[in-house]
Amino acid sequence: MSSPDRQDPRPQAADLANPLYYLENMETVVTWVHQHHGDLLTPEENRRLAGFGHLSVSARALLTRMVMRTGDLFRSDKLNYPELPEPECEALAELVASDWVDAAEHLRVDDLFRLFTLAELRPAFAGVLAELGHPRALPKARMKAVLSEYLGDTVPLVDWLPGHRDTVMHLAHMPLFDRIRLMFFGNLRQSWPDFVLVELGYQQYEQVTFTPESRAFQHRDEVDCYLIMHQCREQLDEGISAADVWSQVPEPVGNAWLASRRDRLLLELGRQAERQGERELALKALAESTHRESRLKQLRLLERMKRFDEAWAIARDWHTTELSDAEAQGLGRILRRVARKVGEPVPELPAEPATDDFLLTLPRTGLPVEMGVQQHLWQDHQPVFYVENTLINALFGLLCWNAIFAPVPGAFFHPFHVGPADLTREDFVPRRRELLEQCFARLDDGDYGDIIRATYRRKQGLANPFVNWLVITDELLELALACIPPEHLEVMFRRLLHNLKEHRSGFPDLIRFLPEEPDLARRYEMIEVKGPGDRLQDHQRRWLAFFHRQGIAARVCYVRWQDDGP
């Protein structure tokens, strides 16, 4: 490992042909955290990371393998990594001597039964089982249940398996590696194997500028806060009482990135509290969360609790704010129900326009129904492309590339991001509003086509959450720029940004270009294809309604097969 003090401009992914590529990737992670987040680590933690680089290659590789395992206990006699330059026993001895690993003297019963086979456990506990009146040939699960009651929480290994006294080893600094993983990934969902074994060399990434100001974590207590919230989420996943978890939730924080995580935690806590019958706690958690989904859940819970006046007051005020289509749809349904309960007039809500439909009768070809319709409709002077959610997203991603990859705090944690970590958060747009408006200004002054073309050439193949390079060809791009008016692009882009998580999908399957049409607004149409028995989904209906309001040509093509009869 190179010294953590070396300031590499851009870390590189390991060559997968190298049998120790996983070690190279781990070294990249450790070096990056040491360089960019060293001030958030204690002196002992920094010393530990520096010491990692002084271990032998075999010891570093073995330690990496152990970190990637589930849990922090392992059997030394089961280690088998033939790619190590030296024997595993020598590498393990070095790790013990340098205090990375120590012998486990006590084991929880769960760990005992996970690490040892039934053939090893039966002789050791045969006497106990006989004393308790059980046959020694109990199945493993039953034997574990019996011994858990008899042995208590932990088992002294030397008393029961003396031949394995120095076999079970404990990774002594796993919390440090968890902290490193958090500061590198920006989350604890991604595991070491997912990243160290695969992800670094998977594709090419945009080079984002990293500065101390762009970090999500500015202080060590912010890292601690995230770890506490992660522990709360794990407890909820394990089914622990929401009331017990509630007392552990950190107070509101000033860090916007952490605040968003806290809102998500409160949303999940509210859901679990309701499932567990703690309705008042659920209401309290949902009211405190500003997550996009929390308001509707709060209203629905108040409605189920027959607290209609409270629900009406919240829904009535919320109705006047800007909402996504899904929020407006859900809120409208609640308003109609609750208004009758409180004796208030039902607010007028916009009616969903009828869809423009047509029917095609096609022979079965074995192709997906969308491809069958595309081939049927294609004409040389009116080409049809299967684009679904790719084209409009890609045009947005190419025009707004610099805004998407702006190094705002908490957006990027390492050089291998497909896109910003805050992409689907509510504050994604507010934190980039000025940059996004600059991009949209290009739609007004006519420069957008040249900008999109230049970005398409310059960034070809780089990961972008909006751009599918396999679909966006030169021909498709040029037709789109020639046939889709900039005014239409802007309204679609703005709807995308209103709720990126919801609005990036639901676009029609096909787009037909009519480049010879003199009226620019009529040079294309979008076509949603529905095969026999298929029907429109809510998010597709919402896009079609939006197109209708904006005067964008969009139709639904229903398909039936010729051999199905009339």
Side-chain angles (χ1 to χ4, degrees):
M1 176 183 175
S2 25
S3 167
D5 297 327
R6 176 176 59 86
Q7 296 293 324
D8 281 350
R10 185 69 40 175
Q12 299 297 314
D15 183 354
L16 298 185
N18 175 6
L20 293 175
Y21 72 94
Y22 61 87
L23 174 58
E24 283 192 45
N25 286 340
M26 176 62 87
E27 289 172 346
T28 294
V29 173
V30 171
T31 300
W32 179 267
V33 171
H34 201 211
Q35 288 177 350
H36 292 267
H37 303 286
D39 60 312
L40 305 183
L41 299 170
T42 65
E44 170 59 20
E45 288 168 342
N46 274 305
R47 186 185 69 79
R48 270 280 146 202
L49 292 191
F52 180 82
H54 297 137
L55 295 170
S56 68
V57 171
S58 293
R60 293 202 305 274
L62 182 60
L63 182 57
T64 298
R65 286 291 194 183
M66 290 189 288
V67 169
M68 291 191 299
R69 293 166 65 105
T70 300
D72 56 3
L73 296 171
F74 57 92
R75 286 179 58 167
S76 59
D77 59 336
K78 298 296 184 182
L79 298 175
N80 181 27
Y81 300 111
E83 74 275 10
L84 301 187
E86 288 91 26
E88 293 87 349
C89 59
E90 295 182 14
L92 184 61
E94 183 179 350
L95 293 176
V96 171
S98 54
D99 193 33
W100 285 102
V101 172
D102 54 36
E105 298 181 357
H106 290 76
L107 292 183
R108 293 185 303 121
V109 174
D110 285 348
D111 293 323
L112 183 73
F113 275 74
R114 178 175 56 84
L115 292 168
F116 291 91
T117 68
L118 187 58
E120 291 171 318
L121 293 169
R122 275 179 173 166
F125 294 101
V128 173
L129 292 173
E131 181 182 334
L132 296 174
H134 295 282
R136 63 174 292 167
L138 281 179
K140 196 172 187 179
R142 179 58 183 151
M143 181 179 173
K144 176 183 170 182
V146 169
L147 291 177
S148 294
E149 295 184 13
Y150 177 78
L151 297 174
D153 293 335
T154 61
V155 179
L157 191 59
V158 68
D159 292 349
W160 301 104
L161 295 164
H164 291 280
R165 178 173 185 171
D166 298 319
T167 296
V168 180
M169 309 304 293
H170 168 248
L171 185 58
H173 298 280
M174 199 60 195
L176 172 59
F177 282 101
D178 286 338
R179 189 174 289 265
I180 293 170
R181 181 161 57 101
L182 170 58
M183 288 189 286
F184 188 81
F185 290 130
N187 66 74
L188 288 173
R189 298 187 312 276
Q190 289 172 275
S191 67
W192 286 112
D194 290 342
F195 188 76
V196 173
L197 292 181
V198 177
E199 189 172 315
L200 288 184
Y202 183 64
Q203 54 191 346
Q204 293 179 293
Y205 303 89
E206 176 63 285
Q207 294 192 10
V208 178
T209 302
F210 291 91
T211 65
E213 293 74 28
S214 68
R215 299 185 307 178
F217 301 113
Q218 296 295 328
H219 307 285
R220 181 180 175 86
D221 59 359
E222 293 174 342
V223 183
D224 295 337
C225 178
Y226 185 102
L227 292 170
I228 292 170
M229 289 192 291
H230 178 73
Q231 185 178 37
C232 290
R233 185 58 188 265
E234 285 187 323
Q235 291 178 13
L236 291 175
D237 291 342
E238 293 167 2
I240 292 177
S241 164
D244 291 338
V245 177
W246 171 256
S247 63
Q248 304 173 47
V249 175
E251 293 296 317
V253 293
N255 182 311
W257 182 77
L258 282 176
S260 172
R261 298 282 175 160
R262 184 176 181 274
D263 287 335
R264 292 183 188 181
L265 172 62
L266 291 172
L267 173 68
E268 184 55 37
L269 193 148
R271 286 170 172 164
Q272 183 132 312
E274 183 180 4
R275 287 194 295 266
Q276 294 174 345
E278 297 281 352
R279 286 182 160 186
E280 291 297 335
L281 175 58
L283 285 175
K284 188 174 182 180
L286 292 171
E288 191 168 326
S289 171
T290 62
H291 191 278
R292 186 183 296 274
E293 298 177 25
S294 63
R295 189 70 60 87
L296 279 176
K297 293 188 180 300
Q298 180 190 14
L299 288 172
R300 288 170 182 147
L301 178 55
L302 285 169
E303 193 179 4
R304 284 192 291 273
M305 296 172 70
K306 303 187 183 306
R307 289 161 60 168
F308 302 117
D309 289 330
E310 293 176 59
W312 174 256
I314 295 172
R316 181 191 55 204
D317 293 341
W318 190 33
H319 180 57
T320 62
T321 63
E322 188 177 10
L323 304 172
S324 72
D325 288 351
E327 290 172 321
Q329 184 182 65
L331 178 59
R333 291 168 179 168
I334 291 174
L335 280 169
R336 283 192 291 270
R337 293 192 301 266
V338 175
R340 291 190 290 268
K341 299 292 185 180
V342 297
E344 294 285 352
V346 179
E348 290 189 14
L349 301 172
E352 183 177 297
T355 57
D356 186 359
D357 306 339
F358 67 102
L359 176 68
L360 281 182
T361 302
L362 301 177
R364 295 181 189 268
T365 62
L367 293 173
V369 65
E370 298 87 358
M371 298 302 182
V373 174
Q374 178 201 16
Q375 291 185 2
H376 178 82
L377 296 178
W378 178 284
Q379 300 180 57
D380 289 342
H381 67 292
Q382 293 183 359
V384 182
F385 294 83
Y386 175 55
V387 294
E388 198 173 5
N389 299 316
T390 58
L391 178 59
I392 302 304
N393 275 293
L395 293 173
F396 169 78
L398 293 170
L399 178 66
C400 302
W401 191 288
N402 291 337
I404 293 166
F405 289 97
V408 300
F412 299 95
F413 291 82
H414 54 75
F416 308 102
H417 275 282
V418 171
D422 63 339
L423 185 65
T424 58
R425 276 177 31 197
E426 285 80 355
D427 61 350
F428 175 85
V429 173
R431 299 204 298 162
R432 297 166 177 81
R433 191 173 301 282
E434 183 176 350
L435 291 171
L436 290 166
E437 291 301 331
Q438 291 172 9
C439 296
F440 292 157
R442 304 286 77 80
L443 292 166
D444 295 330
D445 60 28
D447 291 344
Y448 71 97
D450 292 338
I451 292 172
I452 288 174
R453 290 185 188 94
T455 305
Y456 177 78
R457 292 191 297 269
R458 191 173 68 254
K459 303 294 187 180
Q460 187 70 220
L462 293 183
N464 182 311
F466 296 95
V467 182
N468 184 332
W469 296 106
L470 298 177
V471 175
I472 308 304
T473 63
D474 290 340
E475 179 187 18
L476 176 58
L477 183 65
E478 289 303 326
L479 280 167
L481 292 176
C483 296
I484 304 177
E487 297 82 6
H488 289 186
L489 291 176
E490 180 170 354
V491 294
M492 286 189 280
F493 292 169
R494 289 192 182 278
R495 184 176 189 272
L496 267 179
L497 290 173
H498 194 53
N499 188 335
L500 280 168
K501 183 177 181 180
E502 176 186 320
H503 294 167
R504 278 197 294 169
S505 63
F507 286 95
D509 299 303
L510 307 179
I511 187 167
R512 173 157 60 181
F513 295 110
L514 299 85
E516 298 176 3
E517 167 64 44
D519 183 355
L520 178 57
R522 299 174 61 84
R523 285 186 190 168
Y524 76 104
E525 69 168 339
M526 298 186 183
I527 302 171
E528 176 63 33
V529 178
K530 291 299 176 187
D534 197 4
R535 63 181 182 179
L536 291 171
Q537 304 298 311
D538 278 350
H539 65 315
Q540 295 171 332
R541 289 183 179 279
R542 289 192 285 267
W543 266 115
L544 290 169
F546 173 81
F547 293 144
H548 179 84
R549 294 193 300 271
Q550 299 296 330
I552 295 173
R555 294 193 290 165
V556 181
C557 172
Y558 289 97
V559 176
R560 68 178 182 182
W561 305 123
Q562 287 178 352
D563 54 8
D564 284 345

